[in-house]
Amino acid sequence: ASKETLKLWREIDRLFYGLNKKNYKKKEFSSRGFSGRKQLCTVKMYYGNTKESHKEFLRRYMPQENKKEVEDKPTLFNERYDIVPENELLRYESQMDDFHFKFMISPESQTVPSKEIVRSFIKQLEDSTGFKFDWMAVEHTNTDHKHCHILINGKNKKNKRKIKFPKIIIKETARNLACNICTSLIGYRTKEQIESSRARLPFAYRWTKIDDELLKNTYKSFSSIKNIDDTDYEAQKIARNEIESKRLDHLCQMGLAKKYSGHIPPVYYLEKDWQKKLKAMGRYNSFLDARNKMTFVNPCNLEQYTSETGQ
């Protein structure tokens, strides 16, 4: 389905710009053409399997009752209400299942209207899966980048059966839906927006395309740095261009790499399991906070918490 979608975008490119290809090339928006100009949007999905965590997310996390520093508490909305009244929350709680899904949607552009993108996202996700959702949502603005949280009850409203998302929905479909909705709401990205996005990429606190390239070109056969700073390193890397140099410097600031300037050009040593830890940081900001605060613990010994770990 993804391949067919890409073919469709290429055909739209050809039809839309086919009569004036010279002028189109001068725009230089992206090597991917028309589809490369779509608005970007991050979509993450988590799930819970207890009614306690379900209610905690609804009553405390979403309205930010757990954060005293947030004085202007956000209000929940759903398909029917812009501000969900208490009786609607009680109705949701009365039908609350142990199993629940939590989506986080964060458009790159801060001009995307939150309620519109969430409602369109839910509608198109229902159309894609055949489910009918019972859901609540909220917009959080206490960070540098505003974002929305969506809570979906784990039972299908049509037949009260358990909801289960196919992997393709989580890995690709949800993000593609969100990007398309953002584009339909505010239009395609301009050249300046694309260039600005690329300029910020080396400083992202998540796995990026730059890291894919770093992974392809790292050297793993070395012996002189195994015990440097009592830290285990799994690979070494010399930056091939300015973008890789900025990215590697940022990985050093995050504590995932070490820069040795005694060599020209500088050599970067990548910490053991740096890929796994970087991906964990992208999912959980608290992981990065813990690494920075626990100064008496070797960062290599810190792992992402999972349910298998225990209490």
Side-chain angles (χ1 to χ4, degrees), residues 109-287:
S109 173
Q110 296 291 274
T111 63
V112 177
S114 298
K115 290 183 174 65
E116 283 83 345
I117 184 178
V118 167
R119 285 168 173 156
S120 294
F121 177 80
I122 289 291
K123 179 65 172 62
Q124 294 189 30
L125 196 60
E126 287 178 333
D127 292 341
S128 299
T129 60
F131 298 131
K132 180 63 178 177
F133 301 128
D134 190 3
W135 60 275
M136 296 286 173
V138 70
E139 180 188 53
H140 284 179
T141 59
N142 62 312
T143 61
D144 293 336
H145 207 87
K146 70 177 184 180
H147 55 280
C148 292
H149 293 276
I150 306 173
L151 177 62
I152 299 178
N153 195 18
K155 283 186 177 180
N156 188 349
K157 286 182 72 174
K158 287 182 178 179
N159 51 26
K160 304 302 180 183
R161 293 180 180 176
K162 293 277 188 181
I163 293 173
K164 185 176 181 180
F165 289 110
K167 288 184 179 180
I168 190 68
I169 295 290
I170 307 305
K171 289 185 176 181
E172 296 182 22
T173 306
R175 181 173 58 84
N176 289 335
L177 287 177
C179 291
N180 290 336
I181 294 167
C182 290
T183 305
S184 68
L185 289 172
I186 64 172
Y188 287 91
R189 293 190 297 165
T190 63
K191 179 181 178 181
E192 291 73 21
Q193 288 174 323
I194 292 173
E195 290 176 347
S196 175
S197 178
R198 288 172 176 168
R200 293 194 301 270
L201 196 59
F203 309 103
Y205 287 89
R206 57 178 174 81
W207 188 268
T208 68
K209 293 180 179 179
I210 305 174
D211 302 307
D212 286 328
E213 293 301 314
L214 293 178
L215 190 60
K216 292 178 185 177
N217 299 282
T218 53
Y219 301 95
K220 297 190 177 181
S221 57
F222 56 93
S223 58
S224 59
I225 61 166
K226 284 185 177 179
N227 296 316
I228 240 177
D229 298 336
D230 295 324
T231 301
D232 291 330
Y233 294 93
E234 71 172 38
Q236 62 184 16
K237 170 71 180 175
I238 294 176
R240 297 179 298 168
N241 50 54
E242 185 180 1
I243 291 177
E244 286 192 354
S245 179
K246 289 180 179 179
R247 183 57 176 168
L248 287 164
D249 283 337
H250 189 62
L251 291 178
C252 290
Q253 293 179 8
M254 295 170 70
L256 295 179
K258 181 79 173 181
K259 183 177 182 179
Y260 177 61
S261 302
H263 185 277
I264 299 177
V267 177
Y268 295 85
Y269 303 127
L270 295 166
E271 185 181 292
K272 184 180 179 181
D273 294 331
W274 69 279
Q275 309 159 53
K276 176 183 175 182
K277 293 172 182 177
L278 180 57
K279 291 175 180 178
M281 290 175 187
R283 294 194 298 269
Y284 305 104
N285 292 331
S286 57
F287 185 79

